[in-house]
Each structure stands twice: as structure tokens, then as C-alpha cells.
Amino acid sequence: MSDFFQDSPLRIAGREFASRLLVGTGKYRDFDETAEAIAASGAEIVTFAVRRTNLGQDAGEPNLLDAVPPERFTLLPNTAGCYTAKDAVRTCKLARELLDGHNLVKLEVLGDDATLYPNVVETLSAAETLIADGFDVMVYTSDDPIVARELERLGCCAIMPLGSLIGSGHGIQNPYNIRLIIEQSGVPVLVDAGIGTASEAALAMELGCDAVLMNSAIAHARQPVLMAGAMKKAIEAGREAFLAGRMPRRQSAEPSSPFAGRIHG
Amino acid sequence: MTYASLSASASREDAMQILLNGETRALESNATVAELVESLGLAGRRIAVEVNEEIVPKSEHDGIRLTEGDRVEVVHAIGGG
């Protein structure tokens, strides 16, 4: 934020954050690039995936959690790759054990390989189970406002509709639905998935999103670290523009310079 | 003890088979979770262990003994979005 304005912090499940950009850790060249890009993004919340340990691995092999230490970042384990509520719940429990009891998770239950579109039936079921088990659930979902409302009613601590398909870089395809979800929600709304470039991140914030979560837009940029910095600025610019309130749109022109006093008047 | 020596030392009578991350592995009978983790070179690493779809907390690795046919998952954090 600028020197002249102090925004209120982003509040998720009782935790407060200055940054409104959340980033993933997938698709980077190596952990050094991951760490550099995250530093440039200013993100405080960082997502990761849980997978089987490669048992052939050298014990000295670098670990993601060394590049993104849990002492410095709020780690947000995801359930990417899960297609059933049961698998998503198991994954969250493993993540909680991995992070010594940390209970904030990103729930996503996918519907199919081609679209990675959320299976909202399984997502609702998993959310209910996880919340009953004490998890704070940030939930990836479709941009359907009725499903979003139901997820909030179950107790999800953040609603995260897709802008467009995961990894597609198609931006926000239905800004009107995102608006509807923002207007009805009492918990933070984040666009999660679809952002391709800085202007799209700014648009999400101008619509009134509380934050944006992205991975590919940074990791798959030609220069990820440079793009991470661009996204940080876009999120801040979009947030300030939203708070400032845009001018009304007009059908006709209106001069910025006065007519009175013109020399040929 | 390395995993290789643990396997080699497991004779017919005192050996058992478990399913570790989806693959069959021979292990000394009644090995604890901690002994398995140690044999894999993962002691002290940031991992989580599940046995038969139940989490085994780190504090219980020493006390829980594995039995024939147990399905064990050992997971860690990797990049993802």
C-alpha cells in the first residue's frame, strides 16, 4: 500500500495478513526460483501439495519447507489431485500432521482431468467433515453463488471461486458472478485460478475481492520473479482503486479543462 | 540401520510384508514406525505417516508397531498451487 494510506489487514480465520496476494509453489525451475519469486510477490500465505515421499531419495535432498519455512510463512496445504471427499480429508489430516497441528487448509476436490473443475458435491461433503474435525477451510469452488453461500453456511473461512480453469490463464470469465459472491459473502472472497497477467489480478481486486491466489501466472511467466513483483503491484493497485471507488461511466465526453476563459471565447 | 540391512536381516521367520507408498516391502516383524522411518533415512525430516488410513502422530512413532499387511503412507510437502 502507498505511504499515504493504511488498508485494514486481510483477516482469515482469526489470522491477519498485510499482503492480499497468495501464491503457490508449483511449476518453478527449482527451490531457489520458488523462494525468490515468493519474496518478490510479498505473499505471506503460500500453498503447497502433499505427496508420497520418494523413498529412493537421498536423505540430503532439498525440501520445499526449507525454501518456504513454516516459521516465516503461513503455509496453506492444498488437496490438489483429490477427486473424492474422502481423499481430500485424508490429505488434510496428513498435512496437519506434517505441519505439527496447523489447521488452515485449501480444500479443492476436482471433477475431471480435462477441466480440473471443482466437484461441488464432493467439496461440500469434505468441507463439512473437515470443519467438524477442527480445520479452517479455505475452499476452491465454482463461481456459482448458491454453492458459495452453502459453503459459507457450512463454516468455510474463505470462499475461493475460479476466475477460469486452473492453469488456463484465461482471467476472470464471469466477473458478474464474482461480484454476486462478493456481495453476499460474510467471509473473505478470493479469486483462485485463472489469473494470467497483472491486469487480471487488478480486475479481481477492483471487483472487490479480498485477495487473489495464483501460481501459474507467476511460475510460467518468462521471468517469474519479475512477474511476481508485477502481481504484488497489481494487487495493491486494484485494492486501492476498489477502495477509492471508480468514476461513473458516461455516454458522452466531458472535458477536464474548463470552457470558460478560452482565448477565442 | 539402513533399509537394505533391515531387509537383508529379515529372515523368513521374523520378516513381514507391508505396503509402503503403494509398493510391497519386506520389513522386520514388529518393527515400529520410528524404525521404519529411520531405515528409510527420513528420521528428523518433515514428513507425515499414515497407517491403514489413520494418522500416526510423530509422538507415537516409537510406540506403534507395524504388522503384516499394514498399508503405510509416508508423505512430504512438494510444490503446488
Side-chain angles (χ1 to χ4, degrees):
Chain A
M1 284 292 158
S2 76
D3 296 340
F4 309 103
F5 175 76
Q6 189 65 50
D7 193 5
S8 54
L10 170 67
R11 289 192 181 84
I12 297 175
R15 302 161 167 92
E16 292 193 347
F17 305 95
S19 170
R20 291 174 180 272
L21 174 57
L22 288 68
V23 298
T25 51
K27 302 177 176 177
Y28 286 98
R29 198 176 53 219
D30 53 36
F31 289 148
D32 285 345
E33 188 182 68
T34 310
E36 260 189 84
I38 292 171
S41 77
E44 296 164 281
I45 304 177
V46 177
T47 62
F48 71 91
V50 176
R51 290 291 180 274
R52 284 173 167 167
T53 301
N54 176 6
L55 299 175
Q57 83 178 351
D58 168 18
E61 187 179 303
N63 186 304
L64 175 67
L65 298 185
D66 297 331
V68 191
E71 300 76 32
R72 277 183 42 214
F73 295 94
T74 295
L75 289 177
L76 184 62
N78 68 29
T79 62
C82 291
Y83 286 79
T84 64
K86 183 185 171 221
D87 286 346
V89 170
R90 267 179 83 188
T91 301
C92 288
K93 288 180 176 174
L94 282 163
R96 181 165 62 183
E97 165 63 12
L98 190 58
L99 297 178
D100 302 316
H102 171 79
N103 63 358
L104 185 68
V105 292
K106 170 183 160 176
L107 172 63
E108 56 179 299
V109 188
L110 304 174
D112 72 36
D113 288 345
T115 65
L116 301 179
Y117 211 77
N119 178 330
V120 297
V121 177
E122 293 293 315
T123 301
L124 285 159
S125 164
E128 194 164 18
T129 306
L130 288 168
I131 290 163
D133 195 12
F135 284 95
D136 290 326
V137 178
M138 301 176 70
V139 62
Y140 169 66
T141 184
S142 64
D143 60 9
D144 178 336
I146 308 306
V147 173
R149 184 184 297 157
E150 198 57 25
L151 287 163
E152 183 177 353
R153 192 186 63 77
L154 289 175
C156 291
C157 66
I159 306 297
M160 307 201 292
L162 51 77
S164 52
L165 300 184
I166 291 173
S168 72
H170 280 153
I172 298 178
Q173 285 301 304
N174 197 340
Y176 304 100
N177 273 27
I178 301 293
R179 271 297 311 168
L180 287 173
I181 293 170
I182 291 166
E183 281 166 8
Q184 74 180 17
S185 297
V187 294
V189 175
L190 292 76
V191 161
D192 174 7
I195 298 299
T197 190
S199 57
E200 293 159 1
L203 172 62
M205 297 308 292
E206 288 174 13
L207 287 169
C209 282
D210 294 280
V212 174
L213 198 167
M214 67 179 74
N215 186 341
S216 304
I218 297 174
H220 275 183
R222 205 169 60 245
Q223 294 191 52
V225 179
L226 188 57
M227 184 60 90
M231 289 300 186
K232 177 179 194 282
K233 293 170 191 146
I235 294 290
E236 290 174 358
R239 174 66 180 172
E240 290 185 16
F242 168 72
L243 293 171
R246 64 158 295 138
M247 62 161 278
R249 289 183 169 86
R250 295 174 182 279
Q251 288 301 315
S252 56
E254 187 188 79
S256 297
S257 309
F259 271 93
R262 289 175 300 159
I263 56 172
H264 50 88
Chain B
M1 186 185 283
T2 66
Y3 181 75
S5 65
L6 190 69
S7 295
S9 68
S11 67
R12 188 179 286 271
E13 304 84 55
D14 60 5
M16 62 176 178
Q17 300 238 309
I18 61 166
L19 201 61
L20 177 61
N21 285 4
E23 290 177 13
T24 305
R25 292 269 183 147
L27 199 63
E28 233 171 52
S29 288
N30 297 318
T32 64
V33 171
E35 284 164 350
L36 171 65
V37 169
E38 173 73 34
S39 75
L40 296 170
L42 296 173
R45 306 278 297 179
R46 294 188 206 259
I47 55 160
V49 179
E50 186 195 63
V51 178
N52 300 329
E53 303 193 7
E54 294 290 332
I55 298 294
V56 179
K58 285 176 197 71
S59 59
E60 295 174 18
H61 284 195
D62 278 327
I64 301 282
R65 291 192 181 280
L66 296 167
T67 57
E68 178 76 30
D70 275 350
R71 286 164 294 123
V72 181
E73 296 288 343
V74 180
V75 303
H76 67 158
I78 66 150

